[in-house]
Amino acid sequence: MALRVARRDIRKHKGRSLLIIALIMLPVAGMTGAATLFQSIERTPDEIVGYELGETQARFSTLPAPNADSVQDPLNDEMVASSTGVYDPDFEAADPRDLVPPGYEVLPLRQFNLTTSVGAALVSLQGTVVDALHPAFAGKFTLLDGRAPQSAGEALVSPGLLERFGLGLGRTTTTSVGTFMPVGTIRDADASDRTSVIFLQQGQVPETALNQGPQSPHSTSYYLVGSEPVTWPQVRAANRQGVGVLSRSVVLNPPSLAERTADGVPPPQPSSGSVAMYATFGLVAALALLEVGLLAGAAFAVGAKGQVRELALLAASGADSPTVRSVVTSAGLWLGGVAVLSGAALGLWSAAAAVHWARSIGSVRFSGVHPDIPLTLVAMVLGLVCCLLAALAPANHVARQAALGALKSGRAPAGNGKRATVAGAALLPVAGALLAAGWMLGESARDPDRKAGQLPLVTSLLIAGAVLAVVALVLLAGYLVTLLTARTARLPLSLGMAARDAARNRGRTVPAVAAVLAAATLASAALVLSASMQAGMRENHSWTALENQAFLPLSLEQPLLPDGSTQPGAAVEPSELAAAVEGAAGKVAWTRVISAPAYVQNCAFGNGTDASGPPRTATSNCLQYSLARPAGNECPVTPERRVVDREDWRCRGSLAQSTGSQRSILVGGAEEISAVLGREAGPEALEILEAGGMVVTNPVFVRDGTAVLQGQDVRTQAQGPADPAQMHETVTSSTLPAVVVEPAEPLPYYGVLSPETARRLDLRPEPAELLVQLRSFPSAAEMDAVSGAVAAVYQWPAVGFWAEPGITRGDAWMTWSIVAVSALVTFSAAGITTGLSLADSRADHVTLAGIGASPWLRKNLAGSQALLTGGLGTLLGSLAGTLPAVLVAGSADLRTAVEVPWLHLLALLVAVPLAGAVLAWLFTRARLPVSGRTLGT
């Protein structure tokens, strides 16, 4: 009977029913779609073999391994999954072709760089030598348009190459390896269509072209066609010789964790990144469901008040309280069931449409449609539970009403709310205890490795505490409304009436405040999490220069001649290079020539290199300069290479956790310090430079006012006692007076020497690079134009133009966009609850109009009610969302710098109540229709 009565009431009030369905459906659809898209990024084993192997059995290629004990990832033949990390100077990788077992047809694939002319410039593009239309490559390569090549002058290309150069099929293009006519476009399932690739076959590319430039002689991959699978023992045997193997059978049936671990090496620990991401999504999803549950509760409350008389008649006819209660909860069951089913279907369909659209345009962002069934079921169950809980509160309220009292009056008697206040007061300490327990547990472990293991428990405690805190504040909302509206004598008339009405009709006010509170909690939590993630990105960004700066080398080392002898470096004029950049970009602020010690050039190094000779001769240089780190200034790390304390001064600043490059030592004075470091050199720094000292960028390299400048022979390999990374033997050492001038950003420079000091130390300083400062970051078209102009000056296509983008360009609009979305969510909550509140208070407005109240007073009253509801809900929600988000951001991701965007939170706190008040004032009718007398009153 309850289900039938609820179904008839749903049909009778279609608008309210559709509103409740939409409120529950949208978050379920959002969570389902987000989970599906997140899972669709990761490739399944079937997709890995289909996209990378096609119909072949395996692929043999070079593995970047430091020794013979390294073990590759079974699903990725380019990544070492387990290794001792000890560099073996005698280890030499084998040619993958020599390890291919017999009995297979071998299909080689080789990638190389080539150039083509665009006007007067040369630009680089990628070439691939492969029989792309071989039947064994079905699934990996797909012919999109055109036909197969039929002569040596024809080729297949990617769609991005035609788009980039404005070509069409049948039009020839001239490259550095010949002239070809594209006759078909091909899609590589493992690469985006936007890449510029020309697919050629054996014999179309001269062998000399394949061996020029940075291509490795072992850069060819070999695909095996046959019926016999390649097993994991064969893969391990190939790994011992520096060859990686992607095997179909191994990918589809991967070995156990013990079998893929190098001897004596502990199994790899799971990454904390996924835990952090799920924690963030979990907090946002929980708050979103809580918000819509409260919004639906407000809608159910208005609907239940409209059913008071009908339900009271049902009670008068003999129905007991559980039966009356079940009528309202049955409506929640009907509406919740429809909402979660339609929400899951909408989410899955939307995600599938997005994945298919991305794949249809050649994007490889998604690999396929991968529904996350467990998360989808969790979202559906949570949505249904939220809808039932939303209906439960008004159902209990109606069931408690006396049948005779409800028949006599159209207005339900208001409860005192003591139970809700007591429950809220009891839950608030519990929420605080959960938040404190999560924070204390996260802070109890100083070891980052242990912290990573505790992340699931810590984030669970914090999310549970955040949700309970919102529930507690919702239950206390009635008491807070009464407390805050106790003294209204000094308020303007409309505000005073709104305050007294809010205290008197808490059944109307509390759902509205609760819904806005939940929406503001969600919005403030999203703001804090977003700002903290961006702060973490800023802190962990690898700076190559100051923002919008670019370094262009003034000399290029040339490739070896066919007989193995070296060529002199190709130098360019700084003025010619600067003119080319200025003419192509048009937004160059200034340029400056930067000097540095002589670069490493014409130096043979690697396995088998004879390091007995001097590191520097008249025609070669094998010395690279750096600063020594004094004992005790090393950044403390765990056995898993995690930084123990990221706030430790030894782990922060320029080159604190990495080694520099050839241009890490600069030669110059005050102007160079200002241009490169972004700081003005003070009197002390200038005195140190004149006295033969050095301006150092990080105090970790300074002890007792001195720094040690060391020259390292790059032909040698050594292992530092505190860092297993590769290092070179030190052959020269000089102790210099030093002063610290920290750059504006953690740049990859050790410091600056004066030209006189550099010559005294025999560093042989020379003009090394042209520093270009742009007024703004160049667009993609400007980057292409500058790359072409620079390549024309160098006469070398591999050298292009790249500017430091920084990490602040998109932060401002990104944060404000989140503010806008958060405000929109809160506006919608405020609008829905205000509309429901106005519908419920329609009789009050009719009464006011009947006693002579002006339309302006009623409009001001509606605006004041919205201002009070929105202000209180936004204030409580901002507090309830900010604190848990700060704790989650500080505990969930060990690389996140916690940041609270106070300005954006203030904007949210002020804009939402004011906007809600303005909208309520605008949409309140000045004239009300004539209302007939209600029966029974």
Side-chain angles (χ1 to χ4, degrees), residues 670-858:
E671 294 182 354
E672 283 73 17
I673 293 175
S674 176
V676 178
L677 304 185
R679 300 291 190 193
E680 296 298 328
E684 184 181 2
L686 296 179
E687 291 178 4
I688 288 290
L689 287 178
E690 293 178 0
M694 184 176 182
V695 173
V696 180
T697 59
N698 197 326
V700 299
F701 302 113
V702 179
R703 172 165 291 176
D704 298 329
T706 61
V708 178
L709 178 66
Q710 57 188 11
Q712 296 179 327
D713 190 345
V714 298
R715 298 174 299 176
T716 62
Q717 300 291 339
Q719 184 173 328
D723 189 353
Q726 295 183 28
M727 298 178 63
H728 306 298
E729 291 183 3
T730 301
V731 295
T732 66
S733 179
S734 303
T735 302
L736 304 172
V739 65
V740 177
V741 176
E742 297 193 41
E745 305 292 348
L747 303 172
Y749 310 121
Y750 288 110
V752 182
L753 289 167
S754 67
E756 295 77 15
T757 304
R759 285 190 289 267
R760 176 175 60 83
L761 298 176
D762 195 24
L763 303 185
R764 302 182 185 181
E766 59 186 23
E769 293 175 315
L770 179 70
L771 173 60
V772 180
Q773 176 67 64
L774 303 174
R775 286 187 290 270
S776 61
F777 191 75
S779 63
E782 290 169 334
M783 292 279 281
D784 288 339
V786 177
S787 298
V790 169
V793 174
Y794 285 116
Q795 294 296 309
W796 183 252
V799 179
F801 180 82
W802 186 85
E804 170 60 51
I807 37 78
T808 59
R809 293 187 302 112
D811 283 358
W813 73 263
M814 186 181 298
T815 305
W816 283 111
S817 65
I818 295 176
V819 172
V821 173
S822 303
L824 182 62
V825 172
T826 314
F827 286 157
S828 64
I832 291 172
T833 54
T834 300
L836 293 172
S837 179
L838 289 176
D840 186 53
S841 62
R842 188 177 185 83
D844 295 340
H845 283 264
V846 171
T847 303
L848 286 174
I851 62 175
S854 67
W856 294 104
L857 176 61
R858 291 187 289 103

Side-chain angles (χ1 to χ4, degrees), residues 242-531:
V243 175
V245 181
L246 186 67
S247 169
R248 176 182 295 272
S249 64
V250 171
V251 172
L252 297 178
N253 299 283
S256 63
L257 186 61
E259 294 177 291
R260 65 178 78 174
T261 304
D263 297 337
V265 178
Q269 297 295 324
S271 172
S272 61
S274 59
V275 178
M277 182 174 296
Y278 276 113
T280 302
F281 285 163
L283 176 60
V284 174
L287 294 177
L289 281 173
L290 186 58
E291 178 209 349
V292 297
L294 292 170
L295 285 174
F300 275 119
V302 174
K305 287 185 178 181
Q307 288 181 279
V308 166
R309 193 167 300 281
E310 299 174 5
L311 296 176
L313 286 172
L314 185 64
S317 63
D320 54 4
S321 294
T323 302
V324 176
R325 185 187 305 115
S326 65
V327 173
V328 181
T329 54
S330 296
L333 183 62
W334 277 111
L335 297 175
V338 174
V340 298
L341 289 175
S342 56
L346 178 61
L348 291 173
W349 182 87
S350 301
V355 171
H356 284 299
W357 176 79
R359 297 293 303 180
S360 67
I361 62 174
S363 172
V364 293
R365 181 180 298 272
F366 302 107
S367 55
V369 181
H370 305 154
D372 195 324
I373 302 301
L375 287 182
T376 300
L377 292 177
V378 168
M380 294 176 66
V381 171
L382 288 177
L384 184 59
V385 169
C386 282
C387 193
L388 290 176
L389 291 178
L392 186 60
N396 288 331
H397 182 66
V398 170
R400 287 196 304 266
Q401 295 178 17
L404 182 59
L407 286 172
K408 284 185 175 180
S409 174
R411 183 177 301 278
N416 53 21
K418 289 184 178 179
R419 292 183 179 179
T421 303
V422 172
L427 280 180
L428 196 59
V430 176
L434 289 175
L435 292 173
W439 178 77
M440 293 176 63
L441 180 62
E443 294 295 320
S444 63
R446 294 298 179 184
D447 185 1
D449 295 337
R450 185 181 173 189
K451 271 191 174 183
Q454 293 177 345
L455 276 180
L457 178 59
V458 170
T459 53
S460 299
L461 290 174
L462 293 176
I463 292 175
V467 174
L468 279 184
V470 176
V471 173
L473 289 176
V474 168
L475 294 174
L476 290 172
Y479 172 76
L480 294 175
V481 167
T482 305
L483 182 66
L484 295 175
T485 58
R487 298 182 179 180
T488 60
R490 297 183 180 181
L491 293 177
L493 177 60
S494 58
L495 282 175
M497 292 178 63
R500 289 191 294 272
D501 180 75
R504 187 178 69 253
N505 296 296
R506 289 189 299 177
R508 173 198 310 158
T509 306
V510 170
V513 172
V516 177
L517 184 154
T521 303
L522 174 63
S524 58
L527 280 174
V528 173
L529 292 174
S530 173

